[in-house]
Amino acid sequence: MNNFSKFLFISFSIFATQTHAETAFKKVSECETDYFQGSFCLKANITKYKKALKTMKPNFNHKYILLNTGSSDSLEMIALDTQTGIGYPLNYQFTGWEDNQGNVLKKPSATFSLTDSKLCLSGSQYDGDHPGTHETYSNIKNCFMIKKDRSYTSFESTYVDKVDYDYDEKTKTWRPF
């Protein structure tokens, strides 16, 4: 193998094995939310973002790292742009699937992929304008996409994918209505 071939092989190997974004965290586009009591700019969350950008590769919409800053019982999603280091939060919280008495029977879930621009969440979507006054859309699937306007980037609902589910007490299942 000549020196040029060795260089080409080594260079290709370095680029082919890159496993994470290697982008420095810059900022969160919007810290607070009117829709639940979370803050995407908490010190603990900023630490998560910095670590994710150093150790993870994109997992959503070709260039984003999608993270849950909540828990497995409460999805609070943010998309970290691996090219700019900016985080774009989804300003809704999704909690579990409820029966007709409001008892949570199943954890919320999220579906997304590296090659798709759609994030779909299932469970109960928490909306509220001010603490103490809120509305919950129980047992729904709602999909969101990151939209870039002239100077603003954020998640928006696709609406066409929204499905409401009703809990059937007899079969103990949820079905679309």
Side-chain angles (χ1 to χ4, degrees), residues 22 25 60 72 81 103 132 153 161 169:
E22 296 183 15
F25 172 74
F60 172 62
S72 62
D81 188 322
N103 301 310
T153 302
D161 296 303
E169 292 285 344

Side-chain angles (χ1 to χ4, degrees), residues 57-87:
K57 58 184 174 180
N59 62 2
F60 172 62
N61 196 13
H62 302 284
K63 70 173 190 169
Y64 296 97
I65 296 171
L66 198 58
L67 292 177
N68 176 19
T69 64
S71 67
S72 62
D73 295 322
S74 173
L75 302 180
E76 299 167 14
M77 308 301 284
I78 187 166
L80 302 173
D81 188 322
T82 61
Q83 297 171 359
T84 66
I86 298 174

